Amino acid sequence: IQGCGLEGDRYAQRIGTYSVLRGSIHQPGEQEPGRQLTLISREGVEAAFQKSGIEWNKSIGDLRRNVIVKGISANELLQAIGSIVQIGESGVKLLIHRNCVPCMYNERKNETPGLMEALWDAGGVSCEVLVGGQISIGDAITIHPNTEGRLIDAGHRSKGFFTRPSQR
C-alpha cells in the first residue's frame, strides 16, 4: 500500500515495535518512511550463515523481513540504497532508504547467538512504498536509479546504530 506497507503487516498498522520511535529526518513530526517494507536476499543470508558457521535450520521468513528476493545478493541490495525497486508487472515501486541491520530481539527470538554479527551486511534493506499494487511469489525484481529526486531518509538513529556489534 503506497505510503504504508504490506496490508496486514504490523508496521502498516503502526503497531510494530519501532513504529513510533523513529522519526523522519526530512519531515519533522512524521514517521521514518523507510520502515514500510523490508527486502532480504536469500543468497545473502545463506552465504552469511555459511561464512559464520551458524547452522540455520529455520525459514528465512523467521528473520522477520517482508519480502525474500532471489538472484540479488545482499551486497547488491546495500549498493542499491537510494535506488527505486520495481516488483512484478503491477508496477509496485519502492525506494530503498537504508540497511536493515539485525537486532538483538531477532537474535533472541531465533535462539541463535551470533545472528546479529553474522547477518550485519546481509540483514536486508528498509524501503518506502512509492507505488502500491499486488505482488506475488516469483515476481521479477528490477533495480533502477532514483530519477525521481527522492531523498534517502534513514530516520534519527543513535551514534552507534550502524556499528557492527563486534566493533562497539
Side-chain angles (χ1 to χ4, degrees):
I1 302 169
Q2 181 177 343
C4 191
L6 288 178
E7 184 177 346
D9 181 65
R10 65 192 185 281
Y11 284 98
Q13 297 172 355
R14 295 186 179 230
I15 58 172
T17 305
Y18 299 104
S19 292
V20 296
L21 299 177
R22 304 290 186 218
S24 168
I25 291 174
H26 302 300
Q27 298 175 359
E30 295 292 322
Q31 180 183 353
E32 170 197 341
R35 279 214 179 269
Q36 296 171 4
L37 186 138
T38 53
L39 302 174
I40 192 167
S41 164
R42 172 179 294 282
E43 291 89 345
V45 168
E46 291 168 350
F49 280 140
Q50 183 177 20
K51 182 179 177 182
S52 71
I54 291 176
E55 289 189 34
W56 183 255
N57 300 318
K58 301 177 183 188
S59 164
I60 292 176
D62 288 327
L63 295 173
R64 300 174 55 115
R65 300 300 186 249
N66 297 122
V67 177
I68 301 167
V69 300
K70 284 178 58 177
I72 299 174
S73 71
N75 188 53
E76 287 172 305
L77 283 178
L78 291 178
Q79 294 300 315
I81 291 173
S83 299
I84 305 291
V85 174
Q86 180 174 335
I87 302 178
E89 298 296 320
S90 69
V92 169
K93 287 186 182 179
L94 314 171
L95 173 63
I96 301 177
H97 281 273
R98 67 173 178 82
N99 181 2
C100 189
V101 295
C103 63
M104 184 56 71
Y105 174 78
N106 209 345
E107 184 171 307
R108 287 181 185 143
K109 183 171 178 49
N110 282 292
E111 300 174 336
T112 306
L115 180 128
M116 279 179 63
E117 183 73 26
L119 292 182
W120 195 259
D121 294 321
V125 291
S126 293
C127 306
E128 173 183 4
V129 181
L130 303 177
V131 177
Q134 185 169 338
I135 59 174
S136 300
I137 294 172
D139 280 350
I141 296 181
T142 311
I143 299 173
H144 303 283
N146 179 3
T147 58
E148 298 179 18
R150 293 184 178 265
L151 298 173
I152 297 171
D153 187 341
H156 293 284
R157 299 280 180 279
S158 62
K159 187 176 179 181
F161 186 82
F162 290 110
T163 303
R164 180 182 286 277
S166 63
Q167 296 173 351
R168 292 182 186 165

